[in-house]
Amino acid sequence: MLNFIEVFDVMEVNPISREVVWIGLTGTRTALQRDGFMIDPKAGAFCPADWLDERGYLDAELARRHPRPWGI
């Protein structure tokens, strides 16, 4: 059985267009809070804990190597 953990995308707002853009990071609540990012609690997803690096962020290369039937 896989050990799943809740993760969140790191987003930023473009100051000119006011568009919200994903900056390419996805991490745990703890990692995002530690690094000063705000969290939208409604925007969480789940991934296997094994896909996280030592900082608490999703290792995209590892996730790409393991196909899954759901998106994170």
Side-chain angles (χ1 to χ4, degrees):
M1 183 164 139
L2 294 174
N3 179 21
F4 284 87
I5 191 161
E6 189 173 29
V7 292
F8 301 87
D9 287 336
V10 178
M11 310 296 282
E12 71 178 18
V13 177
N14 180 313
I16 297 168
S17 69
R18 299 285 188 218
E19 180 182 15
V20 178
V21 180
W22 179 54
I23 67 167
L25 288 174
T26 301
T28 64
R29 180 182 301 271
T30 302
L32 273 60
Q33 287 174 334
R34 177 195 65 224
D35 295 340
F37 297 111
M38 294 184 68
I39 296 170
D40 179 356
K42 296 175 284 189
F46 291 86
C47 78
D50 293 344
W51 292 2
L52 299 175
D53 65 18
E54 64 282 346
R55 300 173 307 138
Y57 288 96
L58 179 72
D59 180 332
E61 185 57 38
L62 182 59
R64 274 195 277 290
R65 283 187 265 149
H66 293 84
R68 64 230 178 257
W70 62 90
I72 58 168

